[in-house]
Each structure stands twice: as structure tokens, then as C-alpha cells.
Amino acid sequence: MPLLVRYHLEGVRNALPRETLRERAPTMWRYRELLPVRHVENIVSLGEAMTPIVSVPRIARKIGGGELLIKQEGMLPTGSFKARGQAVAISMARELGVKAAVIPSAGNAGAAMAAYCTRAGIPSYVFCPDDTPTPIVAQTALQGAKVFLVNGLLDECGRVAGANAKAHGWFDMSTLKEPYRIEGKKTMGLELAEQLGWVLPDVIFYPTGGGTGFIGMWKAFDEMEAIGWIGPKRPRMVCVQSAGCGPIVKAWQEGKAKSERWENANTFAGGLRAPVAIGDYLILQIIRESNGFGILISDDEIRDAWQEVGHTEGLLMCPEGAATYAAYKKALGDGRVSRAERVLLFDTANGLKYEMPPAGKRIDKARPLDLS
Ligand SMILES: *Cc1c(COP(=O)(O)O)cnc(C)c1O
């Protein structure tokens, strides 16, 4: 069972009227009363700026959609939203005296953990599937971690990481095995509410692996209501997974309360390749409670969406982010989302971290240009 942090919200309600935020720096630490770090000197930071919400009216018009917004998480340190979770988790690791940290990762969580651990002076060990994108593996090593490429999927990396954590006394930073990464990811919910003038979007499309952000945002909405920042209205929460690895969406489709391991998980959107999610029951509860849904997207649909958004709006999404656009388009087509709804998509990493399709035409400098 994942541990969740509880706050004395009555105290926060009195200490932090939302107007106070106006005087604070535009980073995720502006919500520090709702974060677990007790002493500011323990905060490990690489400059966690608030990420922009970009409106994409051109592509929305093209597919007959309504108001469409994309939250661009690739602007965070280490190039993905995993920085939010690791910034808080490693700050807490420092506060609690952790001596070394280990994580199984599809790439971005390991890269983020490496960066914050190094910044905090904590040695780090990262276990990735051996087909993790080369730029992310290289980034992780350059940021100071020891990286191991495992001939297995994420949950199998988790077993190796767990065994070595025991053997060597390293702290295990696996998804939902400690409570603080959720707290960091929670800031996505706080931040989007503030940026949208305390009016939450009607629908949120989230590319789901372990689901830390999904659970974290929902927790943020509840806490904000408890301290009087927002009312009871919630977005419909849409869980986007891959047709090659969709354990939670499958469980949702079958009306189950828990998911089963997805065998032979396969998708190039690495963040979605989590065959097992230990917070599955929480994600499923949130989908139902919010009147949301689950949706599966194939790799071909992701590739098309990746290109379509780039060509139409000039935005290079990450594959996981592109999956949310593909899901929106599909749901618009079958009526699960209407054009009257204001929709927010999560682009969870910088597209430059991934291997991209080859491009560019070779030409002879001495010949006239052939534009055909
Ligand atoms: C980890 C990751 C995800 C999945 O996030 P969770 O909150 O763990 O479900 C999505 N996209 C990218 C780029 C990721 O790195």
C-alpha cells in the first residue's frame, strides 16, 4: 500500500490565503506549506520553474475540437516532469539522512533522481531497461549516477534494484514505495489551478505509467478545496496508456478494482511502459469518481500525433505527450469528449530527449535546388 502524506490543512488554510502566492518566486516551492520539507535549507533545487500552459487553437480547429491547452513539462530541469517528484523526494532524503539512493526507471525518473542526488551529494544508482533511449541513459550518467542497463522490463529492473537496495543499504526510490515523489508531482495540480485563475479544466488527459502524477493531482485538488482555494468541481480524469502496455485501462474497461501485469509490454513511449502499477487501485478509483475514462493508443497513432502537433503548432511533444493528443482526437471522434469541454493535455517531457525519425534531404551544393 502506498503511503500518502497528510497535512494539518486547517493550519495551512489560515497561514496561506492564495493571495500570498503573488509575492512568491515562480517555482514549485511557492507551495511549500503543502510540501513535506520542514527546513528550507534541505531543499535541493535546480530551478524548478512553473511550466507554461500553451493554447493550441489551430490544431483544435483542424479536428473540430474545443478549447485545447497543453502543459509543457519539458521546461523543467532534466527535461521532464519527473524533476518535480525527485526534487521533493531527494530534499526529503537529505532531510532524513539517506546515504545512497537507487531507482528502477524507464529513463526520465532515473535522470531526474541522478541530477538531484548529485546536487545533494548523495550517490545514486539507476537500473533501466536496456532499450531506454540513448540520450536519456547518457544524460543520467553525465549527471553523476551509475547506470545499469537490464535485459528486462521496468518491473524486472525493480526487482534487481530492490535486491541491491537490501544488499548495499541503498534507499529505494521506486514509484510509490516512498511517499514524497507524489508530493512533488502534486504541484502540477496546484500550479495549473493557479495558472488558470482557480478554474480547473473540464478534462485532463494524462499519459499514465505508474500514475504518480494522476494520483498527485487528485490529491492536490482535494487539499486545495480543504484550504479554500477552489470549490468542489473536479476535472474528468482521463488515463492514457499504450495499446502495447495498458494494464490500468484494461482493468477500467473490465470494471475491475485492480489491474494485472501486462505481459510483453511494448511501446516506444517509454514512460507508458510500466507493466505493473502498485497504485493501480487509486488510479482506477479516481477515473470512476471523476467520471473520466481510460483509453489505449497505438505506437502508430502516437507517431502520427507527434508529427501532426509538430507540423501544425510547431510544438515538439514527447511521445507520451503525443499520446494524449491522439487520445483527445479519438475521444472527440467517438463523443467521449465534447467540443464544449475545455481540455488540458500533459506533455510530460522535452521531445528532444527521444530518438526521432530521420529527416533532411541531402543536396549537391553545385546544383540548383530541386523542391519536388
Ligand atoms: C514517467 C513518465 C510518464 C508517466 O508518469 P507517471 O506519473 O509515472 O504515470 C509519462 N511521460 C513521461 C515522459 C514520463 O517520463
Side-chain angles (χ1 to χ4, degrees), residues 131 242-245 264-274 297-299 302 319:
D131 56 354
S242 161
C245 179
N264 306 316
N266 180 28
T267 168
F268 85 108
L272 305 183
R273 204 172 55 163
I297 299 299
S298 72
D299 277 8
I302 293 178

Side-chain angles (χ1 to χ4, degrees), residues 81-82 108 185 206-213 271 318 320 348-349 354:
F81 72 156
K82 291 293 197 303
N108 286 324
K185 287 263 193 93
Y206 187 81
T208 311
T212 322
C318 64
E320 296 84 351
T348 44
Y354 299 80

